[in-house]
Amino acid sequence: MSDRKRPRDTAAEDPMLLIRRLRLECVDSVRFSFALETISTLLRNVLEHPEDEKYRTVRLGNVLFQQRVGAFAAGLDLLRCFGFEDASTADAQSVCAPVTHLAL
């Protein structure tokens, strides 16, 4: 067997396909630019401050985040592609806790 990595199985794992999908979901180039800039800032902050919890969490209810990224399924999928996961502030024992943020 080869040591080469397997190709990605789904489009949801491919950042370039997600960026293209985000472009289609945005109504204009300005919203697309804001979405990409916001995602870029979130990722840069994590890279520059990897141990700081405040940069590793995004509140889904944040109005500005909702306007720029959260309103687009592809924007959320892109963050998940880079390692963010659905999380909740509710008791960890609760199975039905609503997703309130994305976290690394």
Side-chain angles (χ1 to χ4, degrees):
M1 282 191 104
S2 168
D3 287 333
R4 291 178 42 196
K5 287 186 176 181
R6 275 184 29 204
R8 295 177 190 251
D9 292 332
T10 65
E13 295 175 347
D14 186 342
M16 289 308 297
L17 289 177
L18 290 170
I19 290 169
R20 288 185 192 110
R21 203 173 92 206
L22 178 61
R23 176 62 186 110
L24 292 174
E25 289 180 19
C26 292
V27 293
D28 58 39
S29 61
V30 172
R31 290 196 70 182
F32 177 63
S33 293
F34 277 142
L36 285 183
E37 287 173 17
T38 302
I39 291 168
S40 175
T41 298
L42 291 169
L43 296 174
R44 185 177 331 102
N45 284 340
V46 169
L47 291 172
E48 291 175 358
H49 312 280
E51 301 303 319
D52 196 335
E53 188 68 29
K54 77 177 182 180
Y55 294 114
R56 298 171 54 87
T57 303
V58 179
R59 285 182 301 114
L60 295 176
N62 179 292
V63 174
L64 194 55
F65 175 79
Q66 271 301 316
Q67 291 171 349
R68 292 184 174 188
V69 179
F72 308 108
L76 295 172
D77 288 343
L78 190 56
L79 286 172
R80 290 181 183 109
C81 175
F82 289 121
F84 282 86
E85 297 177 343
D86 293 343
S88 174
T89 56
D91 183 5
Q93 305 295 330
S94 175
V95 176
C96 299
V99 174
T100 58
H101 58 281
L102 295 176
L104 277 172

